[in-house]
Amino acid sequence: MSNLDELQNRLLTGLTEPQQKAVRHTDGPLLVIAGPGSGKTRVITRRAAYLARTVASPWNILAITFTNKAASEMRERIEALGASRGMTVATFHALGAKLLRVHGERVGLSSDFTIFDRDDRRKVLKEAIEVAGYSTTNFSPANTERFISNLKNQLLTVTDFAARGGGFRERSLSKIYMVYEDLLRKQNALDFDDLLMRVALLLAEDEELRVQLEDRYRYVLIDEYQDTNEAQYRIAAFLTRERQNICATGDPDQSIYGWRGANIENILSFERDYPDATVVRLEQNYRSTKNILGVADALISHNKQRKVKSLWTENDEGPRVTVFEREDANEEANAVAEKISAYLEEGGSPREVAIFYRTNAMSRALEESLLKTGIRYQVARGLEFYARKEIKDVLGYLRVLVNPADEVALMRIINTPARGIGQTTVDRILQRAVQEGRKLIEIIMSEGDFSFLKRAAKKVTEFRDLLLSLKESLELPPGDALTRIVRESGLEAMYKGERTPDRDPLENIEELVNAAVEFQRDNPNAGIIEWLEHTALISDVDGVEDSASCVTLMTLHAAKGLEFPVVFIVGLEDGILPFEREFADSSDVSDFEEERRLLFVGITRAMKQLTLSYVKYRMRMGKSQRAARSRFLSELPHADVEWEGDGVANSGGVPFDINGELPADIAFWEVGSIVEHPVMGLGCVVGFHRGHRNTRVEVQFKSGERKPFILEFAPLTRRDYDEFE
DNA sequence: AATATTCCCGTTTTT
DNA sequence: CGGGAATATT
């Protein structure tokens, strides 16, 4: 047997028939529909290694993952399989940034562009709204941001959108979009969506480059294909146009980023896009117990817009899935902490345990309880670290030094630490810049006469000298450069004075320096620009340590692709999961089904033990509000679920104790009450507003209809919770 | 110019 | 509840 045969065998051992089929497939389009826990990652890594040992060099392979963490894990696993280095494994965004650094000059982009994060973007947008002549009360930066982001994900440029015309709103937004793009261009900056849109447009317009790239990346693998948006879809298609060597893997039931422009149709219509496609279905689950998988399957079966898929496992039955109710979030968190405590006492390890929730804000109560109970934990929140003031300050200096046109960063550091350059002075410089048609930084760095700045002239000169001096540090490796910048800029001295017992900014800065040193060690050829890029593209789960001996907390979105033996999912309440915006009257069915998929993703992360919980009162907007048990809970099969607690056993937690007639005292009516209407049938109170003269309720009926009523006059009768099933 | 205070708004999920 | 911005004070 030759070495090659032996190796090929090694890459196929332990795989099922369909898994082997996927690994052995080399040329032509391949779609792998992979249910949760079906060994998808194993198949992808083996296939990448297989390609690299048979038909291509690692250099010719491009693998796209959803997070940086997934990328580095995949890279490691592929290398462990004996495929040599040199494969490109990255997220779409990282790939986009890389391509634009090298080829961006073809579309007038200089290679030292800055990537604006959400904060920066908001600031620019706010300015754009004002410059365009509108008020941020009519066009909120948050909404406008989403709008423009969606346009970019659909590959609609300013020109495309302006050409569409439309009413006042569309035309105003088009104007704002135009100013926004202009401000970005002037600052030599791109936002997240540009990293995709620019590449897609570049590939569409520049056939020479497209051919060159396709020749390089002969085999393209894309994971989590169900969560690709139009821009990503087009990039993938352009890169594989001639050879059609595209391998898409994913699961329509795990599509949870529709709100971000992801189009589930991309995976559903793969076979139409690529008529020659080979399709492999991986339906056997190796991760979860029968109970957990049964619950997941029952839940997802309620989705109407879905291709039915059978999930099965040969694993043990396992313990039943547990559901419990508590009064409020604190008690819920205490209960979770207690249960974890008990698990640890039985010899379990904290790293086996994860807690998932719908919104980041919900981590707080959990953190407090874990802290109190003495359980070590980590929270998946990569972005939060880089959003800290002190971190943004340090990175601000770096950004200005790398890209002097970056005015968002410049405005941040010009008077941080305070150096006597206040608003008045900045305004004067700004005015001068406009007069002379130059950039802010050009005025500051010019040798010219600063006398127009009056008293502050000296300060500005000093600032200029500081920047000139710091510029030299860019020649140093990132870690050393940072250390020097922190000291010379005066940030170190400033933050030394801000130390308090519960907050130490310098410690965070130190951590940043360490991160830079680590990056430098892992990427010896990378410079400051690459490191800045790295910090801009970091994701929430990227900071999660698999080896750390602690419980992991994260949002359900961040949990995608991971697995844990013991999983808790908290906050199963209507309004939270499924999430509902307040007073959004038309709840889109597809949004609703996406919420169900989100819970499905959460449930299927669990290997052995799954616990779900909900509370009667949840804090929202600083107020405690009555919450109703999530309707998803009633979709779970009774036999596989154990309802904890005596009083609420089997009933699943009755939120009140009065049945039957309309109570004289309407104080007993609240969100979550079950009601019956003589014509409409059974329904659930989803909105409740007590006015001076009457009480208005909004009822969601089983039929799907939703209607408002005035409680005092409506023919509504209270019913028991169970009757709603 | 810098700091202290108040008030008001939005209020999911993230590369 | 918490961040940011507008306002008041030193």
Side-chain angles (χ1 to χ4, degrees):
Chain A
M1 201 185 252
S2 77
N3 275 346
L4 191 64
D5 287 339
E6 197 183 308
L7 182 103
Q8 290 186 15
N9 275 338
R10 191 148 64 82
L11 291 175
L12 296 171
T13 46
L15 297 186
T16 61
E17 189 50 44
Q19 288 177 333
Q20 288 195 16
K21 188 179 170 194
V23 171
R24 274 213 298 264
H25 177 100
T26 54
D27 289 58
L30 171 69
L31 174 65
V32 180
I33 299 282
S38 60
K40 181 187 64 172
T41 312
R42 204 161 170 221
V43 168
I44 302 173
T45 49
R46 297 249 193 142
R47 180 168 182 271
Y50 187 87
L51 288 172
R53 299 306 292 243
T54 53
V55 292
S57 122
W59 173 260
N60 296 131
I61 299 170
L62 169 66
I64 294 173
T65 58
F66 202 70
T67 63
N68 297 301
K69 182 168 185 271
S72 48
E73 273 171 14
M74 188 181 293
R75 206 176 294 120
E76 270 168 37
R77 290 177 67 160
I78 292 172
E79 278 168 24
L81 286 171
S84 49
R85 296 164 153 271
M87 208 177 282
T88 304
V89 187
T91 63
F92 266 112
H93 287 86
L95 174 75
K98 190 176 159 179
L99 291 178
L100 291 172
R101 296 253 183 242
V102 180
H103 306 288
E105 91 239 10
R106 288 167 179 256
V107 284
L109 203 62
S110 88
S111 69
D112 53 4
F113 62 81
T114 304
I115 299 167
F116 274 2
D117 68 14
R118 203 160 134 218
D119 259 22
D120 305 326
R121 193 174 174 162
R122 286 269 166 94
K123 279 184 186 142
V124 177
L125 208 48
K126 206 177 150 249
E127 191 182 340
I129 292 167
E130 277 154 14
V131 171
Y134 302 99
S135 140
T136 48
T137 36
N138 297 331
F139 292 88
S140 86
N143 285 340
T144 316
E145 180 186 15
R146 269 221 315 278
F147 191 86
I148 292 180
S149 175
N150 282 335
L151 291 180
K152 289 190 174 186
N153 286 328
Q154 305 294 320
L155 299 180
L156 283 171
T157 62
V158 176
T159 334
D160 298 334
F161 185 58
R164 284 184 166 194
F168 173 76
R169 198 181 120 79
E170 284 74 20
R171 287 160 51 146
S172 308
L173 284 166
S174 146
K175 207 162 150 193
I176 293 166
Y177 187 11
M178 195 177 295
V179 177
Y180 172 73
E181 289 292 278
D182 208 41
L183 288 171
L184 284 185
R185 207 188 55 240
K186 274 189 188 137
Q187 299 187 60
N188 190 20
L190 298 181
D191 64 25
F192 285 127
D193 304 312
D194 285 328
L195 296 176
L196 306 177
M197 180 172 80
R198 298 283 194 124
V199 172
L201 295 179
L202 185 56
L203 289 172
E205 288 157 11
D206 193 332
E207 180 63 10
E208 189 192 339
L209 176 65
R210 198 198 63 73
V211 169
Q212 184 192 326
L213 286 175
E214 180 162 8
D215 208 45
R216 156 90 197 258
Y217 300 122
R218 295 182 185 188
Y219 294 88
V220 178
L221 294 83
I222 301 155
D223 195 14
E224 309 285 9
Y225 196 71
Q226 77 280 359
D227 278 322
T228 50
N229 61 32
E230 179 68 15
Q232 293 166 326
Y233 169 81
R234 294 289 286 277
I235 292 171
F238 279 130
L239 288 177
T240 56
R241 189 195 278 171
E242 307 294 334
R243 293 187 173 81
Q244 304 249 311
N245 286 336
I246 179 172
C247 166
T249 57
D251 177 4
D253 287 335
Q254 294 184 62
S255 161
I256 54 175
Y257 283 95
W259 52 274
R260 203 172 80 181
N263 186 0
I264 195 169
E265 286 302 316
N266 290 347
I267 193 165
L268 294 178
S269 59
F270 188 89
E271 292 165 74
R272 206 182 56 217
D273 293 340
Y274 303 93
D276 297 333
T278 301
V279 180
V280 174
R281 287 193 160 71
L282 305 178
E283 298 184 331
Q284 180 175 3
N285 177 297
Y286 304 94
R287 178 185 294 152
S288 310
T289 63
K290 284 199 175 70
N291 263 319
I292 291 168
L293 200 64
V295 165
D297 196 40
L299 175 78
I300 202 67
S301 303
H302 283 82
N303 270 7
K304 301 242 166 14
Q305 308 168 355
R306 170 175 190 253
K307 276 189 182 171
V308 175
K309 179 164 75 242
S310 70
L311 298 173
W312 58 281
T313 183
E314 287 177 354
N315 290 347
D316 291 343
E317 196 83 10
R320 291 204 292 170
V321 172
T322 311
V323 179
F324 71 82
E325 176 198 88
R326 283 297 182 276
E327 197 66 16
D328 60 31
N330 290 330
E331 290 190 15
E332 179 185 50
N334 285 337
V336 170
E338 263 170 46
K339 284 166 195 288
I340 294 174
S341 231
Y343 179 73
L344 299 182
E345 268 165 35
E346 283 166 24
S349 156
R351 78 165 61 93
E352 296 165 356
V353 183
I355 312 173
F356 305 148
Y357 35 78
R358 179 62 232 263
T359 70
N360 281 305
M362 292 164 76
S363 77
R364 238 188 62 194
L366 292 161
E367 289 185 64
E368 276 171 22
S369 293
L370 292 172
L371 207 61
K372 206 169 61 191
T373 321
I375 298 169
R376 284 166 49 87
Y377 66 88
Q378 60 178 335
V379 188
R381 248 188 322 212
L383 298 134
E384 197 161 89
F385 178 77
Y386 287 95
R388 291 196 170 124
K389 184 180 172 299
E390 60 271 22
I391 302 301
K392 295 214 84 175
D393 288 345
V394 177
L395 294 179
Y397 277 91
L398 219 44
R399 275 167 52 174
V400 170
L401 296 173
V402 168
N403 171 22
D406 183 343
E407 288 193 6
V408 174
L410 179 60
M411 293 302 276
R412 173 169 204 103
I413 63 163
I414 195 165
N415 202 29
T416 311
R419 52 172 66 88
I421 306 179
Q423 197 55 57
T424 325
T425 308
V426 172
D427 285 345
R428 281 192 184 124
I429 302 175
L430 227 56
Q431 202 187 341
R432 178 62 60 106
V434 172
Q435 264 172 26
E436 300 184 4
R438 296 160 75 194
K439 290 185 175 131
L440 196 57
I441 191 75
E442 288 171 5
I443 305 291
I444 292 168
M445 300 311 279
S446 68
E447 291 294 325
D449 183 11
F450 280 170
S451 60
F452 70 100
L453 296 173
K454 312 271 163 51
R455 270 189 320 211
K458 194 161 156 267
K459 315 276 189 192
V460 176
T461 313
E462 280 166 14
F463 180 60
R464 178 185 69 197
D465 293 343
L466 172 69
L467 289 182
L468 285 172
S469 154
L470 291 180
K471 180 107 192 171
E472 294 164 16
S473 56
L474 288 191
E475 309 298 323
L476 303 169
D480 300 325
L482 268 166
T483 311
R484 194 173 145 189
I485 288 168
V486 172
R487 182 157 310 128
E488 282 190 27
S489 65
L491 285 176
E492 190 176 76
M494 170 181 140
Y495 280 121
K496 217 168 220 161
E498 286 187 22
R499 274 188 172 152
T500 63
D502 48 40
R503 194 182 136 70
D504 184 357
L506 274 185
E507 208 169 89
N508 290 328
I509 291 178
E510 238 164 70
E511 204 179 310
L512 182 73
V513 175
N514 290 341
V517 172
E518 197 180 312
F519 179 81
Q520 183 185 319
R521 198 188 54 218
D522 297 343
N523 308 274
N525 299 323
I528 299 270
I529 291 183
E530 284 75 18
W531 185 66
L532 271 178
E533 184 177 301
H534 170 79
T535 64
L537 297 180
I538 209 129
S539 77
D540 268 347
V541 282
D542 289 345
V544 171
E545 299 264 356
D546 297 321
S547 54
S549 182
C550 52
V551 172
T552 305
L553 279 66
M554 63 179 78
T555 62
L556 284 158
H557 282 91
K560 186 164 80 159
L562 307 177
E563 61 179 21
F564 297 89
V566 179
V567 167
F568 292 85
I569 304 177
V570 301
L572 273 106
E573 297 125 39
D574 271 6
I576 300 287
L577 188 64
F579 194 87
E580 228 173 326
R581 284 183 73 162
E582 222 157 343
F583 298 114
D585 0 44
S586 64
S587 60
D588 194 338
V589 178
S590 62
D591 285 353
F592 182 71
E593 297 209 337
E594 183 158 308
E595 294 292 309
R596 197 182 268 117
R597 290 195 293 268
L598 190 55
L599 179 56
F600 174 76
V601 167
I603 290 174
T604 53
R605 302 307 95 197
M607 300 162 79
K608 295 185 156 39
Q609 242 184 72
L610 174 66
T611 308
L612 311 173
S613 65
Y614 63 96
V615 299
K616 290 164 92 171
Y617 295 91
R618 171 87 49 196
M619 292 285 270
R620 253 184 116 156
M621 306 166 225
K623 283 260 179 235
S624 172
Q625 293 211 319
R626 187 64 169 88
R629 194 180 69 158
S630 169
R631 60 195 82 175
F632 292 154
L633 282 172
S634 45
E635 297 172 359
L636 308 183
H638 271 276
D640 299 342
V641 178
E642 181 180 332
W643 295 85
E644 193 191 277
D646 290 329
V648 291
N650 304 322
S651 77
V654 181
F656 45 81
D657 42 18
I658 295 171
N659 301 318
E661 294 308 301
L662 176 74
D665 183 359
I666 58 165
F668 286 100
W669 286 69
E670 54 201 357
V671 170
S673 297
I674 302 304
V675 298
E676 187 173 358
H677 186 279
V679 180
M680 306 293 297
L682 286 171
C684 178
V685 175
V686 293
F688 191 91
H689 179 75
R690 185 160 299 154
H692 296 296
R693 318 187 58 172
N694 54 37
T695 307
R696 292 164 187 281
V697 293
E698 197 179 2
V699 179
Q700 171 77 52
F701 289 100
K702 272 182 93 170
S703 60
E705 260 191 283
R706 184 178 274 223
K707 287 201 161 183
F709 293 96
I710 290 172
L711 190 51
E712 285 80 355
F713 305 114
L716 292 169
T717 317
R718 286 288 295 272
R719 289 295 178 215
D720 186 87
Y721 217 140
D722 269 358
E723 295 177 47
F724 194 56
E725 302 300 324

